[in-house]
Amino acid sequence: MKLEFLQRKFWAATRQDLDCFVIDNNGFILISKRSHETGRFLGEVDGAVMTQLLSMGVFSQVTMYDYQAMCKPSSHHHSAAQPLVSPMSAFLTATRWLLQELVLFLLEWSVWGSWYDRGAEAKSVFHHSHKQKKQDQLQPCDTEYPVFVYQPAIREANGIIECGPCQKVFVVQQIPNSNLLLLVTDPTCDCSIFPPVLQEATEVKYNASVKCDRMRSQKLRRRPDSCHAFHPEENAQDCGGASDTSASLPLLLLPLCVWGLLPHLLR
């Protein structure tokens, strides 16, 4: 059964002066009068009703963990001053900057001869990757996030939410032989004073001892006993394009020129 057909039948059988939702057992909206709400979490759309359903025990909150998340590194500097840099670190940073500028110069003036088109493409990729590296430097981390689960022991519930000058009435009932719920609310009362219930992930901060235990509990990966580098149905001609590349003399001499010029530049 298609969702559009189910929506038409649903709205034909319900009153249009009420807000009616069909949600699943995790609180996500399957059918709503407003199409942009389909697929969203009920707590984002109506935080007041979701808060009341949690307090009544219709839904329970479960904490889930993501052990393969990526987070922004936190800064450990408590002042606006730059940290001290060793002379060797400053030298390596300057050398890296010179190499990057030299590569950009070579790409800009297309000194790689027959690699002109590839040079333009490489230049755009270099600019994009360099910009992305500055914008989002992420590191592996563990995160936790809430998940809301329907308690099937409660098949029907209703309540009244005090929203300042008005009251919001709602009724929720389990749809037989499914994991779906029918939720009916009064749209005339504005309950925006209640904050939304979100499912945002937060980074888990470990202390030194817990972090060590966490690392010990991780299973080490074991290499396979044999290597499968070939398949009889694979056509090697369809893979890669490294055979079409040719060596470039300026590119091969570039490291030698850089290291030869550095002592003269640093005098």
Side-chain angles (χ1 to χ4, degrees):
M1 182 183 296
K2 293 185 177 181
L3 181 61
E4 293 81 4
F5 177 78
L6 180 61
Q7 288 176 335
R8 289 196 300 268
K9 291 294 185 181
F10 178 75
W11 295 124
T14 56
R15 295 175 54 187
Q16 299 301 310
D17 57 345
L18 295 173
D19 270 350
C20 300
F21 303 92
V22 173
I23 61 177
D24 65 3
N25 57 335
N26 293 119
F28 287 91
I29 300 174
L30 273 68
I31 299 178
S32 173
K33 186 183 299 183
R34 295 163 289 274
S35 59
H36 67 275
E37 295 176 349
T38 302
R40 296 178 59 189
F41 180 59
L42 178 64
E44 300 177 4
V45 177
D46 196 332
V49 174
M50 192 66 199
T51 301
Q52 190 69 13
L53 292 176
L54 286 169
S55 63
M56 296 172 63
V58 179
F59 281 87
S60 62
Q61 179 176 331
V62 179
T63 302
M64 302 293 290
Y65 295 90
D66 184 1
Y67 298 111
Q68 296 180 339
M70 300 295 291
C71 303
K72 292 183 178 180
S74 58
S75 177
H76 299 286
H77 305 298
H78 301 284
S79 66
Q82 292 289 337
L84 294 177
V85 181
S86 64
M88 182 59 67
S89 177
F91 172 76
L92 294 177
T93 302
T95 305
R96 190 183 302 112
W97 178 82
L98 286 173
L99 289 175
Q100 290 176 355
E101 293 298 320
L102 187 57
V103 170
L104 285 177
F105 174 78
L106 294 176
L107 291 173
E108 188 69 31
W109 292 97
S110 304
V111 296
W112 288 3
S114 61
W115 287 10
Y116 177 81
D117 296 332
R118 298 179 185 178
E121 181 181 357
K123 181 176 67 174
S124 61
V125 172
F126 180 84
H127 279 294
H128 179 72
S129 61
H130 191 64
K131 183 178 180 181
Q132 285 295 112
K133 186 177 180 181
K134 288 184 177 181
Q135 288 181 351
D136 45 5
Q137 294 181 350
L138 302 178
Q139 64 181 10
C141 66
D142 295 347
T143 59
E144 61 180 10
Y145 57 95
V147 173
F148 303 92
V149 182
Y150 166 65
Q151 300 301 313
I154 303 178
R155 298 184 176 272
E156 183 178 353
N158 59 79
I160 300 176
I161 305 174
E162 298 291 339
C163 300
C166 62
Q167 294 179 334
K168 186 169 189 174
V169 182
F170 71 92
V171 177
V172 62
Q173 186 175 16
Q174 183 188 26
I175 299 177
N177 302 321
S178 72
N179 66 331
L180 306 179
L181 299 170
L182 173 62
L183 173 65
V184 181
T185 65
D186 180 11
T188 59
C189 182
D190 182 16
C191 285
S192 57
I193 59 175
F194 284 83
V197 180
L198 304 177
Q199 292 184 302
E200 295 180 344
T202 57
E203 183 179 358
V204 180
K205 300 292 185 179
Y206 298 110
N207 56 37
S209 59
V210 176
K211 191 172 183 179
C212 291
D213 295 337
R214 174 80 178 85
M215 295 180 66
R216 293 193 191 99
S217 64
Q218 293 179 346
K219 295 182 179 179
L220 297 178
R221 294 187 177 184
R222 183 174 60 87
R223 298 185 62 179
D225 298 331
S226 60
C227 179
H228 303 277
F230 172 77
H231 193 276
E233 298 181 2
E234 179 184 2
N235 186 3
Q237 296 180 355
D238 296 336
C239 302
S243 59
D244 296 335
T245 61
S246 58
S248 175
L249 183 60
L251 183 61
L252 295 176
L253 296 178
L254 177 61
L256 297 177
C257 296
V258 171
W259 290 110
L261 291 175
L262 278 178
H264 299 284
L265 294 176
L266 296 176
R267 287 180 180 176

